[in-house]
């Protein structure tokens, strides 16, 4: 099975611009979660989608949004970029099989805001 | 609130055994994950514990005690490639989502 894929892998933007990141989960996984990782804050949860519905949202401003499509692929969007949005954005694909749960991360998109 | 504590750094010798501890205080519990993350890379799934006890996978084992809010990751026969950050994460018990709350990670340095 192919793993979680994310595009693009690297991105450079300037303040005020917007960006869209894409994630394709492992085949058969219906849940996609997004995380932001920075050296200062570590890994922080952004939001999770399951069957095209947002089930949970982290403590991030409304500039951060996402969606999920019927094929489980997900996108996240950040509008009006700020310098502090520079981070590694990770997508995780999840599946629960009884008492065994797995969450696999994609390679991430490294965003630099100048 | 949710709080997850791990040591910031650990050093061990190649071939040895190291135990990385994680304690958590959360309003509930719905499973604990361990991930390995090499510098500049994404986290790699290592283990998942939801019941008390030890789960073994090759050189890696993970233990959970729910009554103590405690877990550890045991790495045996350490190799140089095990130098990485190890992240402990608890699944948010608040709802059915897969939200994970991460600790700050433990940076492990394996020396020859």
């Amino acid at each position: 099975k192919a793993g979680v894929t994310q595009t693009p892998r690297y991105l450079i933007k300037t303040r005020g611009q917007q960006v869209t990141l894409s994630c394709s989960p492992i085949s058969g996984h219906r849940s996609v979660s997004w995380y932001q990782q920075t050296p200062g804050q570590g890994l922080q949860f952004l939001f999770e989608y399951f069957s095209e519905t947002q089930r949970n949202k982290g403590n991030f401003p409304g500039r951060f949004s996402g969606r999920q499509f019927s094929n489980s692929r997900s996108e996240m969007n950040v509008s009006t970029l700020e310098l502090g949005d520079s981070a590694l954005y990770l997508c995780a694909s999840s599946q629960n099989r009884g008492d065994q749960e797995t969450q696999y991360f994609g390679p991430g998109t490294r965003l630099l805001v100048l | 609130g949710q709080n997850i504590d791990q040591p910031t750094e650990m050093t061990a010798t190649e071939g040895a055994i190291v135990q990385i501890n994680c304690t958590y205080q959360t309003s509930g519990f719905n499973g604990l994950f361990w991930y390995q993350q090499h510098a500049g890379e994404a986290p790699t799934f290592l283990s998942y514990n939801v019941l008390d006890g030890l789960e073994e996978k090759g050189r890696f084992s993970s233990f959970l005690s729910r009554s103590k809010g405690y877990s550890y990751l045991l790495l045996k026969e350490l190799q140089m490639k095990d130098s990485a950050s190890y992240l402990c994460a608890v699944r948010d018990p608040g709802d059915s989502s897969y939200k994970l709350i991460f600790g700050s990670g433990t940076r492990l340095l394996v020396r020859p």
Side-chain angles (χ1 to χ4, degrees), chain A residues 65-108:
Chain A
S65 63
R67 60 178 176 168
Q68 187 180 34
F69 302 94
S70 58
N71 61 358
S72 294
R73 188 178 71 86
S74 177
E75 289 181 348
M76 67 163 281
N77 184 278
V78 188
S79 62
T80 320
L81 283 166
E82 300 178 0
L83 296 179
D85 297 333
S86 294
L88 178 65
Y89 290 88
L90 293 159
C91 159
S93 165
S94 305
Q95 184 177 44
N96 189 314
R97 287 180 175 174
D99 63 350
Q100 276 301 312
E101 183 176 314
T102 54
Q103 288 207 32
Y104 295 104
F105 283 89

mmCIF file of all heavy atoms in Angstrom, chain A residues 65-108:
data_model
loop_
_atom_site.group_PDB
_atom_site.id
_atom_site.type_symbol
_atom_site.label_atom_id
_atom_site.label_comp_id
_atom_site.label_asym_id
_atom_site.label_seq_id
_atom_site.Cartn_x
_atom_site.Cartn_y
_atom_site.Cartn_z
ATOM 1 N N SER A 65 -7.871 26.782 7.643
ATOM 2 C CA SER A 65 -9.094 26.058 7.326
ATOM 3 C C SER A 65 -8.745 24.802 6.534
ATOM 4 O O SER A 65 -7.617 24.652 6.046
ATOM 5 C CB SER A 65 -10.054 26.934 6.525
ATOM 6 O OG SER A 65 -9.468 27.287 5.274
ATOM 7 N N GLY A 66 -9.709 23.925 6.420
ATOM 8 C CA GLY A 66 -9.449 22.702 5.676
ATOM 9 C C GLY A 66 -10.729 22.140 5.105
ATOM 10 O O GLY A 66 -11.821 22.667 5.344
ATOM 11 N N ARG A 67 -10.556 21.083 4.341
ATOM 12 C CA ARG A 67 -11.708 20.362 3.835
ATOM 13 C C ARG A 67 -11.260 18.970 3.415
ATOM 14 O O ARG A 67 -10.063 18.708 3.238
ATOM 15 C CB ARG A 67 -12.352 21.096 2.676
ATOM 16 C CG ARG A 67 -11.454 21.325 1.465
ATOM 17 C CD ARG A 67 -12.221 22.020 0.358
ATOM 18 N NE ARG A 67 -11.383 22.356 -0.782
ATOM 19 C CZ ARG A 67 -11.871 22.763 -1.957
ATOM 20 N NH1 ARG A 67 -13.171 22.862 -2.140
ATOM 21 N NH2 ARG A 67 -11.053 23.057 -2.947
ATOM 22 N N GLN A 68 -12.248 18.111 3.256
ATOM 23 C CA GLN A 68 -11.957 16.756 2.793
ATOM 24 C C GLN A 68 -12.917 16.410 1.669
ATOM 25 O O GLN A 68 -14.111 16.759 1.726
ATOM 26 C CB GLN A 68 -12.106 15.742 3.937
ATOM 27 C CG GLN A 68 -11.663 14.331 3.560
ATOM 28 C CD GLN A 68 -11.811 13.349 4.701
ATOM 29 O OE1 GLN A 68 -12.728 13.448 5.501
ATOM 30 N NE2 GLN A 68 -10.905 12.372 4.774
ATOM 31 N N PHE A 69 -12.412 15.719 0.702
ATOM 32 C CA PHE A 69 -13.209 15.353 -0.465
ATOM 33 C C PHE A 69 -13.755 13.930 -0.325
ATOM 34 O O PHE A 69 -13.345 13.182 0.571
ATOM 35 C CB PHE A 69 -12.351 15.488 -1.728
ATOM 36 C CG PHE A 69 -11.798 16.880 -1.920
ATOM 37 C CD1 PHE A 69 -10.529 17.209 -1.462
ATOM 38 C CD2 PHE A 69 -12.567 17.876 -2.516
ATOM 39 C CE1 PHE A 69 -10.014 18.495 -1.617
ATOM 40 C CE2 PHE A 69 -12.063 19.159 -2.675
ATOM 41 C CZ PHE A 69 -10.799 19.473 -2.217
ATOM 42 N N SER A 70 -14.618 13.568 -1.227
ATOM 43 C CA SER A 70 -15.282 12.256 -1.131
ATOM 44 C C SER A 70 -14.289 11.098 -1.283
ATOM 45 O O SER A 70 -14.550 9.989 -0.822
ATOM 46 C CB SER A 70 -16.393 12.142 -2.181
ATOM 47 O OG SER A 70 -15.858 12.332 -3.478
ATOM 48 N N ASN A 71 -13.143 11.350 -1.892
ATOM 49 C CA ASN A 71 -12.133 10.280 -2.012
ATOM 50 C C ASN A 71 -11.149 10.290 -0.843
ATOM 51 O O ASN A 71 -10.111 9.640 -0.893
ATOM 52 C CB ASN A 71 -11.364 10.421 -3.329
ATOM 53 C CG ASN A 71 -10.608 11.738 -3.432
ATOM 54 O OD1 ASN A 71 -10.682 12.583 -2.536
ATOM 55 N ND2 ASN A 71 -9.876 11.926 -4.522
ATOM 56 N N SER A 72 -11.490 11.032 0.210
ATOM 57 C CA SER A 72 -10.720 11.161 1.458
ATOM 58 C C SER A 72 -9.509 12.080 1.357
ATOM 59 O O SER A 72 -8.901 12.394 2.381
ATOM 60 C CB SER A 72 -10.272 9.804 2.012
ATOM 61 O OG SER A 72 -11.388 9.052 2.422
ATOM 62 N N ARG A 73 -9.160 12.509 0.171
ATOM 63 C CA ARG A 73 -8.079 13.487 0.060
ATOM 64 C C ARG A 73 -8.476 14.759 0.796
ATOM 65 O O ARG A 73 -9.656 15.112 0.877
ATOM 66 C CB ARG A 73 -7.791 13.799 -1.405
ATOM 67 C CG ARG A 73 -6.543 14.657 -1.636
ATOM 68 C CD ARG A 73 -6.310 14.868 -3.131
ATOM 69 N NE ARG A 73 -7.301 15.747 -3.728
ATOM 70 C CZ ARG A 73 -7.225 17.072 -3.748
ATOM 71 N NH1 ARG A 73 -6.203 17.680 -3.172
ATOM 72 N NH2 ARG A 73 -8.165 17.774 -4.341
ATOM 73 N N SER A 74 -7.486 15.422 1.364
ATOM 74 C CA SER A 74 -7.783 16.612 2.163
ATOM 75 C C SER A 74 -6.882 17.764 1.747
ATOM 76 O O SER A 74 -5.765 17.557 1.252
ATOM 77 C CB SER A 74 -7.587 16.308 3.646
ATOM 78 O OG SER A 74 -7.806 17.460 4.446
ATOM 79 N N GLU A 75 -7.365 18.940 1.932
ATOM 80 C CA GLU A 75 -6.584 20.159 1.724
ATOM 81 C C GLU A 75 -6.691 21.029 2.957
ATOM 82 O O GLU A 75 -7.723 21.038 3.640
ATOM 83 C CB GLU A 75 -7.115 20.946 0.520
ATOM 84 C CG GLU A 75 -6.843 20.318 -0.825
ATOM 85 C CD GLU A 75 -7.364 21.169 -1.963
ATOM 86 O OE1 GLU A 75 -8.136 22.124 -1.724
ATOM 87 O OE2 GLU A 75 -7.009 20.873 -3.122
ATOM 88 N N MET A 76 -5.611 21.759 3.218
ATOM 89 C CA MET A 76 -5.711 22.804 4.228
ATOM 90 C C MET A 76 -5.252 24.115 3.595
ATOM 91 O O MET A 76 -4.416 24.130 2.690
ATOM 92 C CB MET A 76 -4.906 22.502 5.493
ATOM 93 C CG MET A 76 -3.421 22.485 5.349
ATOM 94 S SD MET A 76 -2.598 22.615 6.970
ATOM 95 C CE MET A 76 -2.728 24.366 7.289
ATOM 96 N N ASN A 77 -5.838 25.182 4.061
ATOM 97 C CA ASN A 77 -5.574 26.494 3.506
ATOM 98 C C ASN A 77 -5.202 27.447 4.630
ATOM 99 O O ASN A 77 -5.798 27.403 5.715
ATOM 100 C CB ASN A 77 -6.827 27.000 2.780
ATOM 101 C CG ASN A 77 -6.597 28.333 2.095
ATOM 102 O OD1 ASN A 77 -6.665 29.375 2.738
ATOM 103 N ND2 ASN A 77 -6.302 28.297 0.819
ATOM 104 N N VAL A 78 -4.194 28.238 4.379
ATOM 105 C CA VAL A 78 -3.842 29.295 5.327
ATOM 106 C C VAL A 78 -3.898 30.607 4.565
ATOM 107 O O VAL A 78 -3.210 30.780 3.548
ATOM 108 C CB VAL A 78 -2.435 29.105 5.921
ATOM 109 C CG1 VAL A 78 -2.201 30.117 7.044
ATOM 110 C CG2 VAL A 78 -2.247 27.689 6.435
ATOM 111 N N SER A 79 -4.722 31.520 5.035
ATOM 112 C CA SER A 79 -4.841 32.805 4.364
ATOM 113 C C SER A 79 -4.061 33.866 5.141
ATOM 114 O O SER A 79 -3.720 33.677 6.312
ATOM 115 C CB SER A 79 -6.318 33.211 4.267
ATOM 116 O OG SER A 79 -6.861 33.351 5.568
ATOM 117 N N THR A 80 -3.773 34.959 4.475
ATOM 118 C CA THR A 80 -3.068 36.087 5.082
ATOM 119 C C THR A 80 -1.887 35.602 5.917
ATOM 120 O O THR A 80 -1.829 35.768 7.143
ATOM 121 C CB THR A 80 -4.026 36.920 5.958
ATOM 122 O OG1 THR A 80 -5.302 37.041 5.329
ATOM 123 C CG2 THR A 80 -3.457 38.320 6.176
ATOM 124 N N LEU A 81 -0.960 34.977 5.265
ATOM 125 C CA LEU A 81 0.177 34.363 5.935
ATOM 126 C C LEU A 81 0.953 35.343 6.798
ATOM 127 O O LEU A 81 1.147 36.513 6.433
ATOM 128 C CB LEU A 81 1.116 33.739 4.900
ATOM 129 C CG LEU A 81 0.652 32.413 4.306
ATOM 130 C CD1 LEU A 81 1.470 32.072 3.061
ATOM 131 C CD2 LEU A 81 0.748 31.307 5.336
ATOM 132 N N GLU A 82 1.405 34.820 7.946
ATOM 133 C CA GLU A 82 2.255 35.586 8.856
ATOM 134 C C GLU A 82 3.591 34.856 8.983
ATOM 135 O O GLU A 82 3.700 33.659 8.708
ATOM 136 C CB GLU A 82 1.581 35.690 10.227
ATOM 137 C CG GLU A 82 0.239 36.387 10.179
ATOM 138 C CD GLU A 82 -0.444 36.432 11.544
ATOM 139 O OE1 GLU A 82 0.139 35.913 12.521
ATOM 140 O OE2 GLU A 82 -1.563 36.977 11.625
ATOM 141 N N LEU A 83 4.603 35.603 9.429
ATOM 142 C CA LEU A 83 5.928 34.995 9.571
ATOM 143 C C LEU A 83 5.881 33.763 10.480
ATOM 144 O O LEU A 83 6.554 32.763 10.245
ATOM 145 C CB LEU A 83 6.920 36.014 10.136
ATOM 146 C CG LEU A 83 7.220 37.229 9.264
ATOM 147 C CD1 LEU A 83 8.203 38.163 9.975
ATOM 148 C CD2 LEU A 83 7.775 36.809 7.909
ATOM 149 N N GLY A 84 5.051 33.842 11.511
ATOM 150 C CA GLY A 84 4.944 32.752 12.476
ATOM 151 C C GLY A 84 4.297 31.498 11.927
ATOM 152 O O GLY A 84 4.282 30.465 12.610
ATOM 153 N N ASP A 85 3.788 31.569 10.710
ATOM 154 C CA ASP A 85 3.194 30.375 10.094
ATOM 155 C C ASP A 85 4.256 29.485 9.476
ATOM 156 O O ASP A 85 3.943 28.377 9.017
ATOM 157 C CB ASP A 85 2.180 30.783 9.026
ATOM 158 C CG ASP A 85 0.998 31.550 9.601
ATOM 159 O OD1 ASP A 85 0.681 31.346 10.793
ATOM 160 O OD2 ASP A 85 0.397 32.363 8.862
ATOM 161 N N SER A 86 5.486 29.937 9.455
ATOM 162 C CA SER A 86 6.583 29.105 8.955
ATOM 163 C C SER A 86 6.692 27.869 9.832
ATOM 164 O O SER A 86 6.872 27.966 11.052
ATOM 165 C CB SER A 86 7.899 29.883 8.993
ATOM 166 O OG SER A 86 7.870 30.961 8.088
ATOM 167 N N ALA A 87 6.564 26.715 9.224
ATOM 168 C CA ALA A 87 6.509 25.474 10.002
ATOM 169 C C ALA A 87 6.508 24.288 9.063
ATOM 170 O O ALA A 87 6.420 24.442 7.838
ATOM 171 C CB ALA A 87 5.244 25.441 10.868
ATOM 172 N N LEU A 88 6.578 23.106 9.674
ATOM 173 C CA LEU A 88 6.361 21.864 8.948
ATOM 174 C C LEU A 88 4.901 21.473 9.174
ATOM 175 O O LEU A 88 4.456 21.348 10.319
ATOM 176 C CB LEU A 88 7.292 20.768 9.478
ATOM 177 C CG LEU A 88 7.152 19.379 8.842
ATOM 178 C CD1 LEU A 88 7.556 19.425 7.365
ATOM 179 C CD2 LEU A 88 8.006 18.361 9.595
ATOM 180 N N TYR A 89 4.164 21.319 8.103
ATOM 181 C CA TYR A 89 2.753 20.930 8.199
ATOM 182 C C TYR A 89 2.629 19.452 7.844
ATOM 183 O O TYR A 89 2.997 19.027 6.751
ATOM 184 C CB TYR A 89 1.885 21.812 7.290
ATOM 185 C CG TYR A 89 1.804 23.212 7.824
ATOM 186 C CD1 TYR A 89 2.750 24.168 7.476
ATOM 187 C CD2 TYR A 89 0.817 23.568 8.744
ATOM 188 C CE1 TYR A 89 2.714 25.447 8.011
ATOM 189 C CE2 TYR A 89 0.774 24.846 9.286
ATOM 190 C CZ TYR A 89 1.732 25.768 8.912
ATOM 191 O OH TYR A 89 1.695 27.034 9.461
ATOM 192 N N LEU A 90 2.109 18.722 8.797
ATOM 193 C CA LEU A 90 2.033 17.276 8.668
ATOM 194 C C LEU A 90 0.588 16.813 8.597
ATOM 195 O O LEU A 90 -0.278 17.330 9.305
ATOM 196 C CB LEU A 90 2.703 16.606 9.873
ATOM 197 C CG LEU A 90 4.213 16.794 9.978
ATOM 198 C CD1 LEU A 90 4.687 16.562 11.392
ATOM 199 C CD2 LEU A 90 4.924 15.844 9.023
ATOM 200 N N CYS A 91 0.385 15.845 7.764
ATOM 201 C CA CYS A 91 -0.928 15.233 7.619
ATOM 202 C C CYS A 91 -0.827 13.803 8.140
ATOM 203 O O CYS A 91 0.194 13.132 7.913
ATOM 204 C CB CYS A 91 -1.294 15.284 6.137
ATOM 205 S SG CYS A 91 -2.521 14.130 5.583
ATOM 206 N N ALA A 92 -1.822 13.348 8.863
ATOM 207 C CA ALA A 92 -1.828 11.985 9.386
ATOM 208 C C ALA A 92 -3.087 11.269 8.925
ATOM 209 O O ALA A 92 -4.179 11.836 8.945
ATOM 210 C CB ALA A 92 -1.759 11.995 10.909
ATOM 211 N N SER A 93 -2.893 10.033 8.549
ATOM 212 C CA SER A 93 -3.974 9.192 8.047
ATOM 213 C C SER A 93 -4.253 8.128 9.105
ATOM 214 O O SER A 93 -3.317 7.510 9.627
ATOM 215 C CB SER A 93 -3.495 8.574 6.730
ATOM 216 O OG SER A 93 -4.277 7.505 6.322
ATOM 217 N N SER A 94 -5.513 7.929 9.448
ATOM 218 C CA SER A 94 -5.827 7.079 10.595
ATOM 219 C C SER A 94 -6.825 5.991 10.273
ATOM 220 O O SER A 94 -7.720 6.154 9.445
ATOM 221 C CB SER A 94 -6.401 7.926 11.723
ATOM 222 O OG SER A 94 -5.542 8.979 12.056
ATOM 223 N N GLN A 95 -6.623 4.883 10.991
ATOM 224 C CA GLN A 95 -7.558 3.772 10.872
ATOM 225 C C GLN A 95 -7.649 3.077 12.225
ATOM 226 O O GLN A 95 -6.656 2.933 12.933
ATOM 227 C CB GLN A 95 -7.063 2.771 9.828
ATOM 228 C CG GLN A 95 -8.014 1.623 9.567
ATOM 229 C CD GLN A 95 -7.495 0.719 8.467
ATOM 230 O OE1 GLN A 95 -6.320 0.393 8.437
ATOM 231 N NE2 GLN A 95 -8.366 0.290 7.575
ATOM 232 N N ASN A 96 -8.844 2.687 12.581
ATOM 233 C CA ASN A 96 -9.049 1.987 13.841
ATOM 234 C C ASN A 96 -9.578 0.597 13.563
ATOM 235 O O ASN A 96 -10.613 0.432 12.914
ATOM 236 C CB ASN A 96 -10.047 2.768 14.706
ATOM 237 C CG ASN A 96 -10.121 2.192 16.111
ATOM 238 O OD1 ASN A 96 -10.214 0.993 16.298
ATOM 239 N ND2 ASN A 96 -10.077 3.063 17.091
ATOM 240 N N ARG A 97 -8.825 -0.412 14.022
ATOM 241 C CA ARG A 97 -9.279 -1.788 13.838
ATOM 242 C C ARG A 97 -9.384 -2.424 15.215
ATOM 243 O O ARG A 97 -8.414 -2.959 15.737
ATOM 244 C CB ARG A 97 -8.267 -2.565 12.996
ATOM 245 C CG ARG A 97 -8.256 -2.199 11.537
ATOM 246 C CD ARG A 97 -7.235 -3.019 10.788
ATOM 247 N NE ARG A 97 -7.295 -2.777 9.371
ATOM 248 C CZ ARG A 97 -6.428 -3.284 8.501
ATOM 249 N NH1 ARG A 97 -5.451 -4.061 8.933
ATOM 250 N NH2 ARG A 97 -6.524 -3.015 7.215
ATOM 251 N N GLY A 98 -10.553 -2.327 15.822
ATOM 252 C CA GLY A 98 -10.726 -2.903 17.149
ATOM 253 C C GLY A 98 -9.846 -2.187 18.148
ATOM 254 O O GLY A 98 -9.907 -0.977 18.291
ATOM 255 N N ASP A 99 -8.965 -2.920 18.827
ATOM 256 C CA ASP A 99 -8.104 -2.307 19.832
ATOM 257 C C ASP A 99 -6.766 -1.886 19.249
ATOM 258 O O ASP A 99 -5.855 -1.519 19.985
ATOM 259 C CB ASP A 99 -7.881 -3.265 20.999
ATOM 260 C CG ASP A 99 -7.159 -4.537 20.566
ATOM 261 O OD1 ASP A 99 -7.004 -4.745 19.355
ATOM 262 O OD2 ASP A 99 -6.766 -5.316 21.446
ATOM 263 N N GLN A 100 -6.632 -1.963 17.953
ATOM 264 C CA GLN A 100 -5.403 -1.525 17.314
ATOM 265 C C GLN A 100 -5.677 -0.302 16.476
ATOM 266 O O GLN A 100 -6.451 -0.342 15.534
ATOM 267 C CB GLN A 100 -4.838 -2.633 16.418
ATOM 268 C CG GLN A 100 -3.995 -3.643 17.168
ATOM 269 C CD GLN A 100 -2.806 -3.006 17.860
ATOM 270 O OE1 GLN A 100 -2.067 -2.230 17.275
ATOM 271 N NE2 GLN A 100 -2.651 -3.311 19.143
ATOM 272 N N GLU A 101 -5.062 0.793 16.884
ATOM 273 C CA GLU A 101 -5.237 2.023 16.134
ATOM 274 C C GLU A 101 -3.899 2.433 15.531
ATOM 275 O O GLU A 101 -2.849 2.251 16.151
ATOM 276 C CB GLU A 101 -5.745 3.141 17.045
ATOM 277 C CG GLU A 101 -6.024 4.435 16.306
ATOM 278 C CD GLU A 101 -6.619 5.474 17.228
ATOM 279 O OE1 GLU A 101 -7.536 5.145 17.988
ATOM 280 O OE2 GLU A 101 -6.148 6.627 17.192
ATOM 281 N N THR A 102 -3.954 2.927 14.333
ATOM 282 C CA THR A 102 -2.728 3.383 13.689
ATOM 283 C C THR A 102 -2.929 4.782 13.144
ATOM 284 O O THR A 102 -4.014 5.117 12.664
ATOM 285 C CB THR A 102 -2.340 2.465 12.517
ATOM 286 O OG1 THR A 102 -3.459 2.355 11.632
ATOM 287 C CG2 THR A 102 -1.947 1.083 12.997
ATOM 288 N N GLN A 103 -1.924 5.596 13.272
ATOM 289 C CA GLN A 103 -1.917 6.913 12.668
ATOM 290 C C GLN A 103 -0.559 7.088 12.005
ATOM 291 O O GLN A 103 0.466 7.058 12.676
ATOM 292 C CB GLN A 103 -2.123 8.019 13.703
ATOM 293 C CG GLN A 103 -3.527 8.080 14.244
ATOM 294 C CD GLN A 103 -3.927 9.465 14.723
ATOM 295 O OE1 GLN A 103 -3.487 10.478 14.184
ATOM 296 N NE2 GLN A 103 -4.774 9.495 15.739
ATOM 297 N N TYR A 104 -0.592 7.260 10.711
ATOM 298 C CA TYR A 104 0.642 7.387 9.938
ATOM 299 C C TYR A 104 0.746 8.798 9.371
ATOM 300 O O TYR A 104 -0.211 9.313 8.802
ATOM 301 C CB TYR A 104 0.677 6.378 8.802
ATOM 302 C CG TYR A 104 0.724 4.946 9.270
ATOM 303 C CD1 TYR A 104 -0.410 4.151 9.201
ATOM 304 C CD2 TYR A 104 1.893 4.400 9.787
ATOM 305 C CE1 TYR A 104 -0.381 2.836 9.639
ATOM 306 C CE2 TYR A 104 1.928 3.083 10.224
ATOM 307 C CZ TYR A 104 0.786 2.310 10.151
ATOM 308 O OH TYR A 104 0.827 1.017 10.584
ATOM 309 N N PHE A 105 1.941 9.345 9.495
ATOM 310 C CA PHE A 105 2.176 10.687 8.994
ATOM 311 C C PHE A 105 2.735 10.668 7.573
ATOM 312 O O PHE A 105 3.489 9.756 7.203
ATOM 313 C CB PHE A 105 3.168 11.437 9.888
ATOM 314 C CG PHE A 105 2.563 11.936 11.159
ATOM 315 C CD1 PHE A 105 2.548 11.150 12.289
ATOM 316 C CD2 PHE A 105 1.983 13.205 11.219
ATOM 317 C CE1 PHE A 105 1.981 11.611 13.470
ATOM 318 C CE2 PHE A 105 1.419 13.684 12.387
ATOM 319 C CZ PHE A 105 1.420 12.875 13.521
ATOM 320 N N GLY A 106 2.369 11.693 6.831
ATOM 321 C CA GLY A 106 2.993 11.933 5.542
ATOM 322 C C GLY A 106 4.332 12.622 5.731
ATOM 323 O O GLY A 106 4.710 12.953 6.859
ATOM 324 N N PRO A 107 5.060 12.871 4.633
ATOM 325 C CA PRO A 107 6.394 13.475 4.720
ATOM 326 C C PRO A 107 6.368 14.945 5.113
ATOM 327 O O PRO A 107 7.394 15.487 5.523
ATOM 328 C CB PRO A 107 6.948 13.302 3.311
ATOM 329 C CG PRO A 107 5.736 13.233 2.445
ATOM 330 C CD PRO A 107 4.690 12.544 3.259
ATOM 331 N N GLY A 108 5.217 15.574 5.023
ATOM 332 C CA GLY A 108 5.095 16.962 5.437
ATOM 333 C C GLY A 108 5.337 17.963 4.325
ATOM 334 O O GLY A 108 5.950 17.642 3.295
#
